[in-house]
Amino acid sequence: MIDALPLNDPATWRHLPATSTPVDHARVAELMAAEWERFTASTPGSGAHNERASKSLPLGVTSSFQHWDPYPISIVSARGAWLTDVDDRKLLDLSMGFGAMLVGHLNPAIVASVNEALEKTGTLFVTPSPSATEVAERYQERFGLDRLRFTNSGTEATMYAVRTARAYTGRKAIVKLEGGYHGGYDGLSVSVKPAVADAGPQAAPTPVTPFDVEAGTVYVVPYNDIDRLREVFEAHRGEIAALVMEPVMENIGIVLPDAGYLAAVRTACDEFDVVLIFDEVKTGLTAGYAGAARRLGVEPDLITLAKSIGGGLPLAAFGGRAEVMQAVVDNRMAHFGTYNGNPLVMAAARAVDEVCTREALDAAEAVNDGALRAIDAIIAEFDLPAHTVGLGVKGAVTWSPAPVRNYRDYKRTDFEIAELSWLWGVNRGVLTPPGLDEQWLVSLAHTTADMDLLVATFRELAEALRA
Ligand SMILES: Cc1ncc(COP(=O)(O)O)c(C=O)c1O
């Protein structure tokens, strides 16, 4: 059966196990109970901090993604690949700000550039400035964009990209992927993580809209299903402004495109005159020197960027073909923002662009590949029902022996073992992102020795699962 499924795009990483034996779930439950006890015993400072923080901040956090039950770990400082928590424990950071800290915490080149802006240049002019133009020119070159604009968050970038597509096409409806996350814009908040019971058939998902969202007309399609996409385009011909998608889905683990899928998407968008928007907020520089689109060889009409390009400062951008971005020039799409392209963030962006050379990113990717290979070997040795996936400097273990090609496959993976595996790492000083649907990131600051810690904790978990 598995052999009959299409292969993943050759520019991505997926290694499936030849065989696997199920894990005993009574054992998982037993280990999980012990690990939660260990967690609360070793993190009293985080528990106390959450209690205090919850009195001013809902859930005690500044973004709901940061929360987990009973409470998340609170961090006081970070340098390179390491975090220090309020209990003065050192943790290897493999979340790296959900992938935003690609250059490493307090990267000296970014610190120097930002310090220079703080001491000599200024933080905000709200006027044109060569500092913003220079970064725009660098992105034109690196990402192959005719025109672009800066924003402050990925949410803003995807919102403005959608509006640009609407203004350009004179149409309103959008199509998105089931399970696709793109930030807080209403139109893109449909079917982000719908309960399967509410979401209709796998092959033709029903859009699921949270009560507080006013989405407009949004159609939802499964990833890696070109036939369904074409059906939706055909049924709503002349109505659809844009297809918004991550080229590689990175908010439900890492879900890879089948070989040829993205090229077929491009063809369908051309045929039906739909603007193709690649949301590269997460992929961006973490997928390689010029982002996922260029790595995978498919050119969208617009892309959105955020996270890794800012070096830890709030920076995002949207841009692409001149003809589409003309809607910004002639003000069919009004784009505003006091802080857009401010000199402080631009100083960081220029330094990030300078340090993220092909060589530096390739070296980090080689470290990631080494960790993925080592984990593959452990999966094989212990016959685990799991496999590795990766793109560029990111990787993840998917707790399923079969490939995950869309949201419904993802929902069938083993979330209990995924939670245990995450908690196991946290309790041993290796912090991967909370939420079980994220991935680790090898930053420019991570070494092979750092990644060996991840591999060692994974081996220890495998031993405990099979004990
Ligand atoms: C693919 C994608 N798009 C957009 C966003 C929103 O970005 P921000 O949190 O900067 O608003 C995110 C955030 O995680 C994301 O993963």
Side-chain angles (χ1 to χ4, degrees):
M1 270 306 276
I2 289 171
D3 290 343
L5 288 170
L7 292 175
N8 53 300
D9 188 294
T12 64
W13 176 292
R14 176 160 68 209
H15 283 185
L16 296 167
T19 62
S20 72
T21 308
V23 168
D24 173 6
H25 273 76
R27 178 72 181 145
V28 174
E30 183 192 339
L31 291 171
M32 191 103 85
E35 289 301 314
W36 277 121
E37 263 180 43
R38 179 170 169 165
F39 175 82
T40 41
S42 57
T43 56
S46 286
H49 180 251
N50 185 254
E51 234 180 276
R52 171 186 159 202
S54 299
K55 291 181 183 138
S56 55
L57 299 160
L59 295 173
V61 297
T62 53
S63 157
S64 295
F65 280 133
Q66 296 169 12
H67 178 76
W68 73 71
D69 277 327
Y71 54 82
I73 291 179
S74 296
I75 301 299
V76 287
S77 65
R79 181 176 292 279
W82 292 83
L83 303 167
T84 304
D85 74 4
V86 290
D87 288 294
D88 208 27
R89 300 181 322 154
K90 304 279 178 255
L91 295 140
L92 177 66
D93 189 359
L94 284 174
S95 168
M96 297 305 282
F98 291 97
M101 297 309 306
L102 170 67
V103 292
H105 295 287
L106 297 181
N107 180 301
I110 283 72
V111 171
S113 188
V114 168
N115 274 341
E116 194 184 322
L118 283 172
E119 285 164 13
K120 299 193 190 144
T121 322
T123 56
L124 188 65
F125 312 140
V126 201
T127 68
S129 168
S131 62
T133 307
E134 184 193 333
V135 177
E137 288 164 356
R138 284 170 176 263
Y139 288 2
Q140 277 185 314
E141 180 69 22
R142 184 189 276 263
F143 297 106
L145 310 173
D146 295 338
R147 296 286 185 276
L148 63 132
R149 275 281 178 89
F150 298 111
T151 67
N152 309 288
S153 71
T155 294
E156 265 184 280
T158 50
M159 175 183 80
Y160 279 120
V162 167
R163 287 196 183 155
T164 304
R166 286 189 178 134
Y168 168 70
T169 57
R171 305 178 192 152
K172 291 267 189 176
I174 56 177
V175 180
K176 75 177 286 291
L177 300 175
E178 189 174 41
Y181 175 72
H182 303 283
Y185 178 48
D186 284 40
L188 297 172
S189 301
V190 175
S191 292
V192 171
K193 289 250 173 72
V196 170
D198 301 335
Q202 169 163 343
T206 311
V208 178
T209 306
F211 174 77
D212 57 316
V213 163
E214 282 283 10
T217 306
V218 180
Y219 303 109
V220 171
V221 294
Y223 189 55
N224 277 324
D225 186 342
I226 191 66
D227 293 340
R228 181 61 191 160
L229 180 70
R230 294 186 67 91
E231 269 169 33
V232 169
F233 280 1
E234 184 66 63
H236 304 283
R237 193 185 269 276
E239 191 195 320
I240 297 166
L243 166 64
V244 185
M245 62 187 291
E246 286 190 280
V248 174
M249 295 184 80
E250 290 198 347
N251 282 288
I252 48 170
I254 300 178
V255 180
L256 306 171
D258 294 343
Y261 168 67
L262 293 175
V265 167
R266 176 69 275 180
T267 304
C269 287
D270 287 341
E271 217 176 298
F272 291 88
D273 277 331
V274 170
V275 174
L276 177 57
I277 302 174
F278 276 177
D279 179 350
E280 292 228 41
V281 164
K282 287 194 90 174
T283 50
L285 293 176
T286 70
Y289 180 80
R294 286 197 149 177
R295 180 181 184 123
L296 302 167
V298 174
E299 207 177 317
D301 299 300
L302 294 177
I303 70 168
T304 57
L305 296 160
K307 296 197 196 282
S308 56
I309 56 171
L313 277 81
L315 170 63
F318 67 101
R321 281 177 46 216
E323 192 188 333
V324 183
M325 291 297 284
Q326 184 64 24
V328 185
V329 177
D330 60 28
N331 217 28
R332 277 172 292 160
M333 201 291 284
H335 173 235
F336 304 119
T338 304
Y339 295 98
N340 296 349
N342 66 74
L344 185 68
V345 170
M346 291 295 106
R350 196 191 62 241
V352 170
D353 191 64
E354 279 168 1
V355 298
C356 287
T357 58
R358 282 181 203 282
E359 297 68 32
L361 292 170
D362 285 353
E365 183 167 334
V367 173
N368 188 36
D369 288 356
L372 286 163
R373 262 193 297 276
I375 289 174
D376 280 337
I378 296 167
I379 289 171
E381 185 182 336
F382 291 86
D383 213 29
L384 294 173
H387 66 274
T388 56
V389 280
L391 180 73
V393 298
K394 289 187 170 190
V397 172
T398 299
W399 286 97
S400 155
V404 169
R405 296 176 52 247
N406 53 46
Y407 178 65
R408 303 297 171 104
D409 287 349
Y410 160 78
K411 289 295 280 182
R412 286 188 283 265
T413 63
D414 194 323
F415 287 88
E416 273 176 44
I417 311 184
E419 180 182 340
L420 175 64
S421 172
W422 163 80
L423 183 59
W424 192 269
V426 172
N427 281 341
R428 287 153 187 80
V430 176
L431 188 70
T432 51
L436 314 181
D437 42 24
E438 293 281 332
Q439 53 287 138
W440 67 72
L441 174 116
V442 176
S443 79
L444 303 190
H446 286 76
T447 62
T448 298
D450 292 331
M451 295 311 287
D452 285 349
L453 291 175
L454 172 73
V455 175
T457 58
F458 190 79
R459 166 172 286 283
E460 206 189 311
L461 171 69
E463 284 165 355
L465 284 171
R466 294 303 193 200

